[in-house]
Amino acid sequence: MAMRTRVTDMFGIELPIFAFSHCRDVVAAVSRAGGMGVLGALYFTPEELEMELKWIDDHVDGKPYGVDVVMPASYEGADFAPEELVSRLQGMIPEGHRQFVEDLLAGHGVPPLSEDADPGKVLLGWTDATARPQVEVALRHPIALLANALGPPPADVVELAHAKGVKVAALASTPRHAVKQVEVGVDVVVAQGTEAGGHTGEISTMVLIPQVVDAVDVPVLAAGGIGGGRQMAAGMALGAEGVWTGSIWLTVEEADTPELAKSRILAATSRDTVRSRSWTGKPARLLRNEWTDAWEGANSPGTLPMPLQFMLVSDALRRIGRSDAAELATFPAGQIIGTMNQVKSARDVVFEMVEEYIEAVGRLGGITES
Amino acid sequence: MAMRTRVTDMFGIELPIFAFSHCRDVVAAVSRAGGMGVLGALYFTPEELEMELKWIDDHVDGKPYGVDVVMPASYEGADFAPEELVSRLQGMIPEGHRQFVEDLLAGHGVPPLSEDADPGKVLLGWTDATARPQVEVALRHPIALLANALGPPPADVVELAHAKGVKVAALASTPRHAVKQVEVGVDVVVAQGTEAGGHTGEISTMVLIPQVVDAVDVPVLAAGGIGGGRQMAAGMALGAEGVWTGSIWLTVEEADTPELAKSRILAATSRDTVRSRSWTGKPARLLRNEWTDAWEGANSPGTLPMPLQFMLVSDALRRIGRSDAAELATFPAGQIIGTMNQVKSARDVVFEMVEEYIEAVGRLGGITES
């Protein structure tokens, strides 16, 4: 079984199913199954990313895969010199915010980090200074796609990728974003609805996709709420030429998602997520819990702009992760988690999606033919 | 061109396109075009509703149509005697809330109502006491469908409808709601995503529809974000057997929507709506403007529960409607308004939807066949 759109032609893949994951095993498994795995680089140092991509190269059987970096178009401190970036940004975090976080953790009995804990290597995940070395590492590998999760990538990064024959994708949550991305040379637009996990806009996938498809000439992938073949067929009916998925890979056998998070996701309904600035300062859909509620509550000092919010909370999130305070442990998750209640292999998720897709398209045909 | 699902069979219609509108002309036009118009009864007294339905009977060429009432499962004052309902509810509105509304209007130069203005006849739109007489009127007409916009209708109302051969539909925003509705005898579930206008839940159409389809045996209509044929095809791909539309009828030629509202909608993007309690006390998607912003603002006293909020604001909304303070004039509107930028006849909207639907289904077929 193969499907054919401009996207399958562009990448030489059998199935226009893109799988975003921070886990190399998932990336390789989806690419081997005929789709395209895309590794989220955010949490990796350049050295770690090098190791992850080397592993994928060795396990992907020559199939194409991609890398996703986060280069925000705007963030606090963009003008600071790299060597003083951290200290100057740290100085911008108000004491009241630090106290709010400490009080919240104390209220839930979360202990401080032990002294030998790795000191917050991901502090600056959402800055150009962090993303650029990741891009350089990625382009030394035979990747087929470089994706940017926060708007249009810098024009010189697009050129760098194109010079190596690497296609560039960017996530858009409005048709206006999509047009801007195509103007800087993006080859594929990922139109992502508000129901998606992680950084996300306000417009739903159902409303957004046709608007983006009509606004740009490049192929569009539908993202947000895509978990099965009916949703894949819906996304393609809306005009997309493929789908971009994320949350559904959190619970597959291959995923290195912490057990607690996995069990939370398997038990969650689609109402258990919330669009919140409490993770990075920009709105992102997260698992709703006492952490996200606290930042919405009457005592909240309000969130800080990117990247200050994550600098403020990253240690707290690590402390929570090592504690028993499961009620505070949040992470990016889309509304689709309400339909995920079984652990399967990544390969089975891909094949079941295709099977359900074919069934849905056949059913649609029957409605008008009969 | 005809389509066939359990829904078209159930109602003897050619196209499984349901059009919710408060305007009788739209209702009749959509039914005549092969779909099913559904008149929103909320704003009408029983006497007015009688006149509207008589008009539809005379203009629908014998085609089926429906009526939509609002019988909330829960609201303040449900235990009060009808004759003291208004005064007791009025007494529950805090003075600080009245003052907030007065200050907001004064700040925008909105004059008071003239003395001869009709004194707030729709004050109690969202109570059983108002909806029941509407049901009685509706069932005296040859309606094919009685829909309830806020959850499961009372069991005796379902029986009353069924005894007259009238099918019953209810709007659901979670699979759990849908199951409850089917338990009280609902024949069709309208699964409505968060992108819809008016009272709406949190889950997007893309995520919600398959969950509801899997949870109930009765046919499901997809609602929320459905404005064209690609969205119709998407809704059906998700498993729905028809679509329920609302916002798109606000700007058709036949609609009696005030000119100001029409021009606002035609100019709006899909980011210009917000889910807000500022209209009725329950979350409803409205045009975002200075009214909805004020209720979210630092000085907001917070909204009141249904039906107190609408009792509090109904006169204010009428005053705004008669003033020049367009920046405060809000109304229910779904995210689809971002794609509505042209006035067409209701008939053309129906036919263009079908044409685009057929094109989308054909395109989907080509993706796997080629």
Side-chain angles (χ1 to χ4, degrees), chain B residues 102-111 290-291 294 320 323-325 327-328:
Chain B
E102 282 307 320
D103 291 350
L104 179 59
L105 268 59
H108 289 265
V110 177
E290 296 193 31
W291 172 269
I320 292 164
S323 77
D324 297 327
E327 70 278 11
L328 287 179

Side-chain angles (χ1 to χ4, degrees), chain B residues 95-176:
Chain B
E95 193 46 44
H97 280 74
R98 294 189 192 278
Q99 197 57 51
F100 173 76
V101 172
E102 282 307 320
D103 291 350
L104 179 59
L105 268 59
H108 289 265
V110 177
L113 284 181
S114 62
E115 295 208 349
D116 59 344
D118 180 12
K121 65 171 184 176
V122 292
L123 272 182
L124 295 176
W126 289 272
T127 63
D128 194 69
T130 308
R132 246 166 222 278
Q134 292 176 337
V135 170
E136 285 162 22
V137 169
L139 291 177
R140 286 201 295 268
H141 289 262
I143 64 171
L145 174 71
L146 181 69
N148 187 28
L150 277 177
D156 65 306
V157 169
V158 176
E159 275 177 38
L160 219 56
H162 284 170
K164 299 243 179 189
V166 174
K167 299 292 183 187
V168 178
L171 269 67
S173 56
T174 69
R176 200 171 56 86

